[in-house]
Amino acid sequence: MTADIDSERPDGRPDGRPDDRPDGSQNDRQDGNQGDSQGHGPGTRGHGGFEVFRDDRGIPHLRAGSALGLARAQGRNAARDRAWQLETERHRVLGTTAAYLGAEAVDWDRFARRARLADTARSCFDRLAPETAAWVGAYVDGVNEGLAEGAAQAPEFAAAGLAPGRWEPWTPLGVWLSTHILFAGFPTKLWREEVARRLGDDRATLFATDGPGTSGSNGWLLTGARTTTGAPVVAGDPHRFIEDPGVYQQIRLACPEFDVVGLAVPGVPGIAHFGHAGGVAWAITNAMADYQDLYREQVRRTTDGGAEALGPDGWYRVHAHTETVEVAGGEPETVEIVETDRGPVIIGDVPGDPDTDAAPDPPVISLRYPPRVTGDLGFDVLPALLRARTVADLDTALDGWVEPVNVVLAADTTGATLHRVAGHVPVRPYENRLRVVPAHDPAYAWREGGEPLPRTEVDTATGTAVMANERGLAAPLGIEFAPPHRADRIRELLGTAPGAAASSATGVRKVTGPPWSAADMAVVHTDTHLASSRQLLSLLAWAPDLGPDAERLRDRLLRWDRHMDADSTDATLYARLRADVVHRLAGHPALRPVTGDADPWRSTAYPPLFRPWLAAVPRIGYALESLLTVGLLRYEDRLAMVAASAEAVAATHAEGPGPSAWGEVHRVSPWQALPDATPEEVRPGLAGDHDCVLSTSSVPGITDLFARGPAARYVWDLARREDSLWVVPFGASGVPGSAHHRDQTELWASGRLAPVVTDWNLLHRTERVTERVTEHRTEHRFEESTTMTAATPPDPDASTVPALRPAVHEQKVEGFGVVRLVPVVPAADAGLLHAWVTEERARFWGMADHTREQVQEIYEFVDSLPTHHAYLALRDGVPAALFQTYEPDADPVGEHYDVQPGDLGIHLLIAPAEGPVKGYTDALLTAFIGYVFSDPAHLRVVVEPDARNEKALARMVRVGFELGPEIEKPEKTARLAFLPRAALGLA
């Protein structure tokens, strides 16, 4: 077994090709403004120390002497508190989750690569203003600084066999993009396409409603005329898929320029969506705008294996390359990445016959989305939001917002308010919003600029403004919106007079009315009135010829107050009736072309990732109210259907036990990267339902469990920020076993909120980092405090995770990072090493045709030798290279030259790159040579690269090696080279 140092990291893309942006532009950020080439952002050196404080719930309050120091602190804190979450998000950006999560993650990885999320994030980073790039880079520095420590506390890394990776300056942009790429629900266009094809063009929007893939929220603003303090209050709750750990992190960011509390997205610097800066507070909801298009492409294979697409001016060559998706426990999958002038192809493949002009079946569909086109993700807005002091400041900053497109409510301490849409909606025909459109037709091309963004004044008569994804302010920008029930109910509640009652259809609930305090907002957050039940109950009231049991069921539900309360058995009974009606509708001949065996969910034309948007039963469940109202079925048929459902549900409960309380069956089912990691007992039951203000969205006809609901709740008080309130579903920490991993769950489930603590004297300082900058390096000193309740870190088997192994050598290479050498553990590292040594670029390693088991056996043999040693080189905790040492007189190399006392041979194999990094191998060589010569007995380093590798030989000479003779080895002609200890001035 021999090796060389000729496996270079490519200078271009991860696949070795140069950066080829769709617009043909190159990286326009000059080298001198890029910071260093190892992932540090521009201008992030010497950005100062910081302090970490926490309140009694472990919520971090960060304080630094500069905005850059604060960004670094935020990144480091996120990495320590949410390491597993951050690494999952990074892998989602890269499309590499299947490598450790297995086959179930392949669908996402294929989409992420085909949509070119990582490449788009890089392009957007390249176009950032220099000061924003420095700010993002400081955040990334902090993440890389804290990941190894965070991973050591998180048992998921050992469970998945994953080591923490390295973040690049553009990674936060990728996290933002991957988090929101499906936010606007472009797959709904596939559903409409299928409905139109099967039911007719006039039925395309038959199921139009807030569907399973979109995200909504509640938000409201009260002017000072409506509050107890005379200052505005902004409150609400974002409805997103509930993730564990949570998608929002409560945090405070304080430096001399600003002091902001809010909800941050782990992996992204700043506070984007919900924040209180002292003088101004803001919140958002999904505007339900349509700003992503799907194009039906005609593509064909060229004779040289490339691809062409049909455009307005005829056939033209398109970008095409292949990538490999590694799959834990399975075979790798090859993905072809194709990008036309419209955008990356995300559905369908290029046909193999180069002579065909016809569009393939299944269709080939490309995705056009604003950041891919403009190279702008709106990140320059994020630091401007933190610095905002007034509504006017905030309004100006939001002019640069891109995506997602939001409705914004804001108020400041002067009483000024803001109600506007923010984001970029391209100008194009209405048909683009509705359906998949032909790519070759110039009529469907995007025009210059964006659609005008609506805004309005807060109603002075009511002193309120409400946003709940309804067809309101943003109506000109979208197709499908949420039903008006949540927005109407919030207005009703906020308009109730003091001490009066807000009426429902058949009952009343006591609420406090104007003037309102911040604490009163929980009444609105937790309201459970289900207005969308009206149509079904109206049909039930007139259902003919019911039997005795069904009559009793009808009487019971007509007396029900229509609140989906957790302790209500009537709510469960209604849900049973609703589910039965959904299934009967799905079986009706009028919908048979899109249900049963014809359900688009079953189609192989679309990737499995889009099935939630294509499944008929959930679509019917969410659109039930309108389907029972419009002329799809005759009124008599609707009555008969509801009557049949009443009979069926009544029969189920006639002799058996009655229905359970709603909260016993309506439980949260959070998404986790590692399924079943959350014990069942921490999945609480909640009140609410899809169309309630307390929007805990079950899927009618499918399940009573809910995966989407309030991902946080907040109340921003502009009179006294310390009277503000917030809560998240789980806790501040993402580390299982932490005291703050689940300590907010009971609050969240019961509808209560925790106070926002702003007095530094009431917080606990848990960490202090000081910084000393010298001419050649930046030194940090970390001081930990044990004043907070701390969880006992888990003790995973360190041998399975390289970053947790003791190092034989550790060295900081300035401008590169910390390099640690840890021993190879063959059983644990065989998969990683096999992936490296079987690549074409590693052919001289001599293992190109070896199996994983054979690689493991070889390194077990090496491990048994006292003269040969194998190490993984970790760069900031991430495996970066395989480094081996050997005593030449115990190796075949020793037969080819006169071995001298103190000689030590080395082999080096660089890991595959995730992106271009200048000077990578030189930096690693610096650390390797430092390790070798740390032992005074080693007098000379011996290497034997391939004689044809001029780059490797030039590098050796540059470092100080003296070239020796060529030698013939079984697998190559090698060139010996020697680096004497004395050449480096070492004693």
Side-chain angles (χ1 to χ4, degrees):
M1 179 190 67
T2 58
D4 55 35
I5 312 178
D6 64 351
S7 296
E8 275 292 317
R9 286 216 170 202
D11 293 330
R13 316 294 300 151
D15 52 20
R17 287 172 305 282
D19 187 358
D20 51 348
R21 296 184 174 83
D23 60 1
S25 65
Q26 300 298 314
N27 184 343
D28 61 0
R29 186 178 301 284
Q30 298 300 313
D31 290 344
N33 195 33
Q34 284 184 301
D36 63 66
S37 60
Q38 316 307 329
H40 297 284
T44 63
R45 293 299 178 191
H47 37 53
F50 59 84
E51 297 174 292
V52 179
F53 296 77
R54 296 184 187 268
D55 66 12
D56 291 339
R57 295 190 180 276
I59 296 170
H61 294 242
L62 312 179
R63 188 165 68 185
S66 70
L68 291 181
L70 188 58
R72 171 172 159 251
Q74 186 183 7
R76 188 171 189 272
N77 171 262
R80 297 181 76 197
D81 284 4
R82 306 286 186 98
W84 173 251
Q85 182 180 16
L86 260 61
E87 279 300 86
T88 297
E89 294 299 334
R90 185 180 69 86
H91 281 282
R92 282 175 61 81
V93 175
L94 296 171
T96 54
T97 58
Y100 64 98
L101 296 178
E104 290 186 358
V106 168
D107 294 333
W108 170 265
D109 286 356
R110 292 178 67 90
F111 169 72
R113 292 173 186 240
R114 297 188 79 178
R116 309 201 74 182
L117 300 185
D119 187 73
T120 304
R122 291 186 189 100
S123 296
C124 292
F125 179 83
D126 290 344
R127 290 162 172 78
L128 288 179
E131 58 273 17
T132 305
W135 179 71
V136 176
Y139 180 89
V140 168
D141 284 349
V143 170
N144 286 326
E145 197 174 82
L147 263 182
E149 183 178 354
Q153 300 180 81
E156 295 96 335
F157 283 91
L162 182 69
R166 181 174 182 81
W167 282 49
E168 300 298 334
W170 51 265
T171 303
L173 285 78
V175 171
W176 187 262
L177 184 59
S178 69
T179 298
H180 295 104
I181 188 67
L182 297 175
F183 210 72
F186 68 79
T188 297
K189 297 179 184 182
L190 304 175
W191 166 256
R192 293 194 207 110
E193 196 73 15
E194 292 298 320
V195 171
R197 184 168 63 85
R198 299 158 187 243
L199 299 180
D201 288 344
D202 61 328
R203 298 291 195 186
T205 59
L206 177 64
F207 302 86
T209 185
D210 187 16
T214 55
S215 296
S217 304
N218 297 320
W220 59 93
L221 181 152
L222 292 166
T223 67
R226 299 292 307 281
T227 66
T228 57
T229 63
V233 167
V234 179
D237 52 350
H239 306 153
R240 302 180 70 139
F241 284 102
I242 304 298
E243 299 182 18
D244 182 14
V247 68
Y248 286 117
Q249 179 192 31
Q250 299 148 298
I251 200 166
R252 182 183 186 181
L253 304 175
C255 68
E257 294 182 66
F258 51 81
D259 184 342
V260 185
V261 298
L263 303 172
V265 175
V268 178
I271 295 171
H273 284 159
F274 311 96
H276 193 327
V280 62
W282 68 94
I284 61 95
T285 61
N286 186 352
M288 310 298 285
D290 185 280
Y291 50 90
Q292 302 163 325
D293 285 352
L294 295 179
Y295 286 90
R296 186 181 299 103
E297 300 280 358
Q298 295 186 48
V299 293
R300 65 187 183 187
R301 188 69 67 190
T302 60
T303 55
D304 63 356
E308 292 180 328
L310 182 62
D313 299 320
W315 292 94
Y316 64 96
R317 193 173 185 90
V318 299
H319 171 94
H321 72 271
T322 59
E323 296 181 9
T324 301
V325 176
E326 300 293 336
V327 184
E331 293 298 317
E333 296 196 13
T334 299
V335 181
E336 185 174 29
I337 314 303
V338 177
E339 185 162 15
T340 73
D341 285 352
R342 291 290 183 252
V345 170
I346 61 168
I347 296 172
D349 298 306
V350 180
D353 183 359
D355 298 323
T356 181
D357 289 315
D361 185 21
V364 175
I365 297 174
S366 62
L367 171 66
R368 189 169 182 83
Y369 57 102
R372 185 71 189 158
V373 176
T374 66
D376 184 7
L377 196 54
F379 256 48
D380 287 319
V381 172
L382 299 183
L385 292 178
L386 298 176
R387 294 183 171 93
R389 294 291 183 269
T390 66
V391 157
D393 295 340
L394 195 80
D395 193 18
T396 299
L398 289 171
D399 287 340
W401 189 267
V402 175
E403 76 165 58
V405 179
N406 296 322
V407 176
V408 182
L409 285 175
D412 63 27
T413 52
T414 71
T417 59
L418 178 68
H419 190 184
R420 64 165 289 181
V421 175
H424 180 78
V425 179
V427 178
R428 77 276 203 224
Y430 175 82
E431 289 81 358
N432 291 45
R433 301 182 190 176
L434 190 64
R435 303 269 293 274
V436 182
V437 295
H440 67 277
D441 191 335
Y444 300 102
W446 287 12
R447 279 58 159 173
E448 289 294 325
E451 294 282 2
L453 300 175
R455 61 173 61 227
T456 188
E457 299 295 328
V458 173
D459 188 344
T460 56
T462 64
T464 63
V466 176
M467 52 182 183
N469 321 115
E470 77 280 18
R471 189 179 297 275
L473 186 64
L477 305 177
I479 296 290
E480 299 191 14
F481 295 83
H485 306 306
R486 286 186 285 115
D488 289 347
R489 181 62 176 172
I490 294 170
R491 292 187 183 98
E492 179 185 4
L493 291 169
L494 294 178
T496 305
S503 62
S504 66
T506 58
V508 295
R509 291 296 176 95
K510 285 287 185 182
V511 297
T512 56
W516 293 78
S517 70
D520 291 331
M521 295 297 99
V523 173
V524 183
H525 278 129
T526 58
D527 186 79
T528 61
H529 182 247
L530 187 67
S532 61
S533 64
R534 182 189 62 82
Q535 183 63 20
L536 175 53
L537 293 177
S538 176
L539 290 170
L540 178 64
W542 294 99
D545 305 323
L546 296 182
D549 292 334
E551 285 275 11
R552 282 189 289 272
L553 179 145
R554 173 165 63 186
D555 292 343
R556 180 175 175 179
L557 286 180
L558 294 181
R559 291 194 302 269
W560 172 48
D561 66 2
R562 304 187 188 182
H563 284 265
M564 301 295 285
D565 291 334
D567 60 357
S568 172
T569 55
D570 291 345
T572 307
L573 194 62
Y574 171 78
R576 297 287 177 270
L577 177 67
R578 179 177 61 183
D580 194 88
V581 172
V582 167
H583 283 286
R584 290 180 189 275
L585 260 177
H588 193 278
L591 293 180
R592 196 164 293 159
V594 293
T595 60
D597 291 341
D599 194 327
W601 181 87
R602 301 177 185 275
S603 172
T604 59
Y606 306 116
L609 182 70
F610 302 137
R611 284 179 177 170
W613 288 267
L614 292 166
V617 172
R619 286 283 177 185
I620 294 169
Y622 285 125
L624 182 62
E625 182 183 15
S626 61
L627 292 175
L628 291 178
T629 304
V630 299
L632 176 69
L633 304 181
R634 295 186 308 123
Y635 179 68
E636 293 77 7
D637 292 340
R638 285 177 260 159
L639 286 177
M641 181 179 294
V642 173
S645 291
E647 294 286 3
V649 174
T652 301
H653 295 292
E655 297 181 0
S660 302
W662 181 233
E664 294 179 16
V665 296
H666 187 58
R667 295 182 176 274
V668 64
S669 180
W671 180 87
Q672 296 172 291
L674 287 179
D676 303 321
T678 302
E680 194 68 26
E681 60 268 19
V682 304
R683 297 185 176 179
L686 265 71
D689 199 37
H690 184 68
D691 290 325
C692 299
V693 176
L694 179 51
S695 183
T696 49
S697 298
S698 59
V699 186
I702 300 294
T703 181
D704 291 328
L705 300 175
F706 70 93
R708 199 175 76 188
R713 297 191 190 98
Y714 60 89
V715 181
W716 304 142
D717 191 332
L718 271 299
R720 286 168 41 90
R721 189 168 66 163
E722 57 267 37
D723 288 339
S724 298
L725 303 157
W726 53 9
V727 73
V728 293
F730 300 113
S733 174
V735 180
S738 163
H740 304 298
H741 188 224
R742 291 284 185 269
D743 62 337
Q744 295 187 54
T745 298
E746 195 278 330
L747 279 179
W748 176 76
S750 64
R752 293 177 292 150
L753 299 105
V756 175
V757 180
T758 59
D759 186 343
W760 295 100
N761 295 315
L762 300 178
L763 301 171
H764 314 277
R765 190 171 73 184
T766 60
E767 184 182 9
R768 182 180 183 185
V769 179
T770 57
E771 180 178 89
R772 186 169 72 91
V773 180
T774 66
E775 181 179 357
H776 299 291
R777 67 178 60 195
T778 301
E779 299 175 351
H780 298 115
R781 178 184 178 187
F782 300 91
E783 301 174 13
E784 298 281 351
S785 169
T786 58
T787 57
M788 289 292 295
T789 304
T792 302
D795 185 27
D797 182 4
S799 67
T800 64
V801 181
L804 305 183
R805 297 175 197 160
V808 299
H809 180 70
E810 182 171 324
Q811 182 175 342
K812 182 174 182 179
V813 180
E814 191 63 33
F816 181 78
V818 176
V819 178
R820 299 175 69 243
L821 300 182
V822 301
V824 165
V825 177
D829 299 334
L832 175 69
L833 297 179
H834 178 258
W836 290 358
V837 301
T838 55
E839 285 197 340
E840 170 61 21
R841 55 193 292 279
R843 60 191 180 279
F844 294 123
W845 206 254
M847 300 187 195
D849 58 351
H850 282 44
T851 66
R852 182 186 186 281
E853 291 71 23
Q854 289 172 324
V855 171
Q856 180 174 334
E857 290 176 3
I858 288 172
Y859 281 96
E860 286 174 343
F861 173 71
V862 171
D863 194 43
S864 70
L865 299 175
T867 55
H868 290 62
H869 302 283
Y871 306 97
L872 284 178
L874 310 181
R875 177 195 180 204
D876 292 331
V878 182
L882 174 61
F883 177 61
Q884 296 177 206
T885 64
Y886 63 91
E887 296 178 13
D889 57 2
D891 190 271
V893 170
E895 300 173 4
H896 295 279
Y897 84 103
D898 183 16
V899 178
Q900 299 180 13
D903 279 0
L904 187 73
I906 66 172
H907 300 311
L908 170 63
L909 178 64
I910 303 296
E914 286 184 356
V917 180
K918 184 180 179 181
Y920 199 94
T921 303
D922 286 354
L924 286 173
L925 273 174
T926 299
F928 299 151
I929 293 169
Y931 167 60
V932 171
F933 287 139
S934 66
D935 184 345
H938 297 151
L939 303 179
R940 190 168 66 160
V941 175
V942 181
V943 297
E944 22 112 6
D946 188 273
R948 296 168 298 175
N949 192 338
E950 296 179 359
K951 290 180 65 175
L953 294 171
R955 181 186 306 106
M956 296 299 104
V957 172
R958 186 167 65 247
V959 171
F961 280 81
E962 301 169 353
L963 296 181
E966 292 187 357
I967 61 174
E968 294 297 329
K969 302 186 67 179
E971 74 281 5
K972 67 180 180 181
T973 299
R975 181 76 178 266
L976 290 172
F978 306 94
L979 178 65
R981 184 184 187 92
L984 300 180
L986 300 175

